Amino acid sequence: MKAIIEKANVLIEALPYIRNFYGKTFVIKYGGAAMVDEKLKDAFAQDIVLLNLIGIKPVIVHGGGPKINKIMEKMGKKPTFVRGQRFTDSETIDIVEMVLGGLVNKQIVSLINSHGGRAIGLSGKDGGLLKARRKVMRKRSAAAGTPEIIDLGLVGDVEKVRPQIIHSVEKDGFIPVIAPISAGKKNETLNINADYVAGAVASALSAEKLILLTDTKGIVDKKKKLISTLGKTKIRSHISKNIISGGMIPKVEACQTALKGGVKKTHIIDGRVPHVLLLEIFTEKGIGTEIVK
Ligand SMILES: Nc1ncnc2c1ncn2[C@@H]1O[C@H](COP(=O)(O)OP(=O)(O)OP(=O)(O)O)[C@@H](O)[C@H]1O
Ligand SMILES: [Mg+2]
């Protein structure tokens, strides 16, 4: 009996959150271990279906880096990275589009569907969702002070989000799952970092929350201690001191873009914890790192 009452209490504790979040949009970047480990995959899909059934509108943006590397290697192509970003030539972009827009996207769609949700896969091309431009990366050369342009190939930045297609699929109860690919000015296919896509989409939808799943407990400091809240000034200094580096930089930048665009809350959380989404959304204390203005 006691156990049953406890179960009821757990559900009742969630009531204020459910009331508060009913009808709101949560943009979730899905990546890392939560996309590889079978148990974590199921837990993620269950969380998404549950959120959707209690009236929250989840929008998923996914990455898929490791899978792209694996398939490239199978095809006899060596992945190359320039300052942490994938160099993408025209053969590589075909592989990226096949793997992200085909394989990975449909695996997530069918994972959610197998748990009773109704997901629909989109890339940034579908319905003109994402307008992109070629990314220009500049590196200041110490000697002359003139910025040197680093060519990343077919890599894009989000220029504009046209969210109509998301509204259309949500109106009929579908959960959108977005692959971070789009077309540029010359209709060339561009590969975009999924964190940036999630930030831009969250902004365009005025989402309630942007949640980025990753393989660390959140952002950690020099002593590897979790930082639970982080604002603009600290972010700048942590990046300059190399405390925040590599794949964490697009995440904090995506959160900042989202906050500027009117998103209420942004979180970087540990995707290795089963049901971490529910823990973040339905508990007072929260989990991981919250990025604030
Ligand atoms: N201060 C920091 N705290 C935590 N992680 C950090 C920090 N600075 C850099 N990192 C690195 O950022 C990584 C997370 O970004 P990464 O791009 O590797 O993963 P992801 O975006 O979750 O997955 P994917 O890009 O494959 O979708 C961490 O694994 C860690 O190595
Ligand atoms: Mg990443």
Side-chain angles (χ1 to χ4, degrees), residues 29-33 35 62-66 193-195 213-221 224 227 238 242-251:
K29 151 76 193 305
Y30 182 45
M35 233 168 101
H62 63 86
N193 179 294
D195 298 326
L213 296 185
T214 187
D215 283 354
T216 60
K217 50 190 170 183
I219 298 181
V220 296
D221 64 16
K224 304 283 171 220
I227 306 171
H238 282 11
N242 227 21
I243 297 171
I244 296 177
S245 63
M248 201 46 81
I249 294 176
K251 288 186 207 306

Side-chain angles (χ1 to χ4, degrees), residues 29 61-64 84-86 96 100 130 135 154-158 178-182 190-200 212 246-254:
K29 151 76 193 305
V61 179
H62 63 86
Q85 302 233 28
R86 181 187 301 283
V96 169
L100 283 185
L130 302 175
K135 189 182 187 81
L154 296 161
V155 173
D157 271 328
V158 179
I178 302 166
I181 290 160
S182 194
L190 299 174
N191 175 19
I192 314 169
N193 179 294
D195 298 326
Y196 291 134
V197 172
L212 306 166
M248 201 46 81
I249 294 176
K251 288 186 207 306
V252 292
E253 289 180 348

